[in-house]
């Protein structure tokens, strides 16, 4: 079985080595990339403070300091078309993309065992250069364990004919690295790189944390 498991819960429990199958380009590989990008991809991330004191293991699940996160997706920039070979499975390739944004919270709490909460924007038709969402509805999440929680931003190209979505780019950001205000979210391709057409792809969002 080449599928991966959610690595956030083992990280929350203090596991120092969490093995993943890098041949599966799924959400959990993106989470792993975002987790270690927090220190410049140096390969080491400090454990949360609650794992370094003399507290009991049960303290991991007390979640005494949850954080509420509100995100408004405003716009995007330079969203490229996915590779042509991907469209062979999802429909004919078009001249431009129909971008849609999905934001998912992966929390290092008992809620990790449930389906993670996800927010989706509406589809912007035929505009990958500078799509504007300016969503009235906020993406609202309550992160029970912000020390290890990770937000995953994913942008898809939506096909109206086949009703399928093709990944354009994604970015995983630890909650501890989120900053309030107007922020630019750099997007990475399925191989977690920003080369070629993905070099300038990004989202513009407003973040509020309580």
């Amino acid at each position: 079985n080449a599928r991966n498991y959610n690595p956030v819960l083992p990280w929350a429990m203090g596991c120092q080595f969490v093995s993943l199958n890098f041949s599966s380009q799924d959400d959990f590989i993106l989470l792993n990339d975002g987790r270690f990008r927090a220190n410049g991809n140096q390969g080491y991330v400090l454990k949360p403070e609650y794992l370094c004191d003399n507290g009991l293991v049960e303290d991991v699940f007390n979640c005494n300091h949850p954080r509420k996160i509100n995100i408004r997706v405003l716009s995007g920039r330079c969203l490229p078309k996915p590779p042509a070979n991907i469209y062979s499975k999802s429909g004919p390739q078009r001249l431009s993309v129909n971008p849609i944004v999905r934001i998912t919270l992966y929390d290092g709490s008992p809620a990790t065992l449930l389906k993670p909460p996800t927010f989706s924007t509406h589809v912007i038709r035929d505009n990958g250069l500078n799509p504007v969402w300016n969503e009235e509805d906020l993406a609202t999440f309550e992160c029970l364990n912000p020390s290890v929680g990770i937000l995953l931003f994913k942008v898809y190209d939506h096909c109206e004919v086949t009703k399928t979505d093709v990944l354009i780019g994604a970015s995983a950001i630890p909650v501890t690295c989120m900053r309030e205000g107007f922020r630019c979210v750099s997007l990475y391709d399925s191989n977690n790189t920003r080369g070629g057409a993905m070099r300038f792809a990004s989202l513009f969002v407003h973040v509020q944390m309580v």
Side-chain angles (χ1 to χ4, degrees):
N1 190 347
R3 292 183 299 177
N4 283 310
Y5 55 88
N6 188 344
V8 178
L9 188 57
W11 288 333
M13 294 295 295
C15 292
Q16 293 180 304
F17 295 95
V18 179
S19 300
L20 294 174
N21 186 351
F22 275 73
S23 65
S24 299
Q25 297 296 331
D26 52 20
D27 288 358
F28 304 131
I29 291 295
L30 296 174
L31 295 180
N32 183 78
D33 180 72
R35 171 75 171 170
F36 291 96
R37 195 184 298 127
N39 69 343
N41 288 325
Q42 297 301 311
Y44 295 93
V45 176
L46 293 177
K47 291 183 179 181
E49 292 184 2
Y50 65 80
L51 290 174
C52 298
D53 59 20
N54 296 324
L56 299 177
V57 176
E58 285 78 8
D59 291 340
V60 176
F61 300 118
N62 282 341
C63 303
N64 293 323
H65 303 286
R67 300 207 67 177
K68 185 177 181 181
I69 307 171
N70 296 322
I71 302 175
R72 186 188 302 276
V73 181
L74 300 174
S75 62
R77 185 182 69 156
C78 300
L79 304 179
K81 292 185 296 183
N85 62 324
I86 298 180
Y87 283 98
S88 61
K89 300 179 181 179
S90 61
Q93 187 174 15
R94 301 180 304 278
L95 295 178
S96 59
V97 297
N98 300 327
I100 180 175
V101 180
R102 293 193 178 97
I103 308 174
T104 304
L105 172 65
Y106 289 88
D107 198 352
S109 70
T112 304
L113 303 176
L114 305 176
K115 184 178 180 180
T118 301
F119 171 84
S120 297
T121 66
H122 63 277
V123 178
I124 300 294
R125 297 179 181 273
D126 299 326
N127 188 354
L129 179 62
N130 57 350
V132 177
W133 286 277
N134 197 18
E135 290 284 319
E136 295 183 0
D137 296 331
L138 294 176
T140 301
F141 304 99
E142 185 174 6
C143 186
L144 299 179
N145 192 347
S147 298
V148 295
I150 299 178
L151 284 165
L152 179 60
F153 296 80
K154 300 184 76 175
V155 183
Y156 292 91
D157 178 19
H158 180 72
C159 179
E160 294 288 350
V161 178
T162 61
K163 303 300 180 183
T164 56
D165 298 324
V166 177
L167 180 66
I168 297 176
S171 184
I173 304 176
V175 173
T176 54
C177 295
M178 294 290 292
R179 298 295 181 264
E180 292 190 278
F182 294 96
R183 299 294 170 182
C184 180
V185 179
S186 300
L187 298 175
Y188 298 78
D189 61 20
S190 59
N191 295 317
N192 298 323
T193 62
R194 275 181 60 79
M198 289 297 299
R199 182 177 297 274
F200 303 105
S202 63
L203 293 175
F204 188 54
V205 302
H206 183 266
V207 180
Q208 181 183 22
M209 305 181 71
V210 180

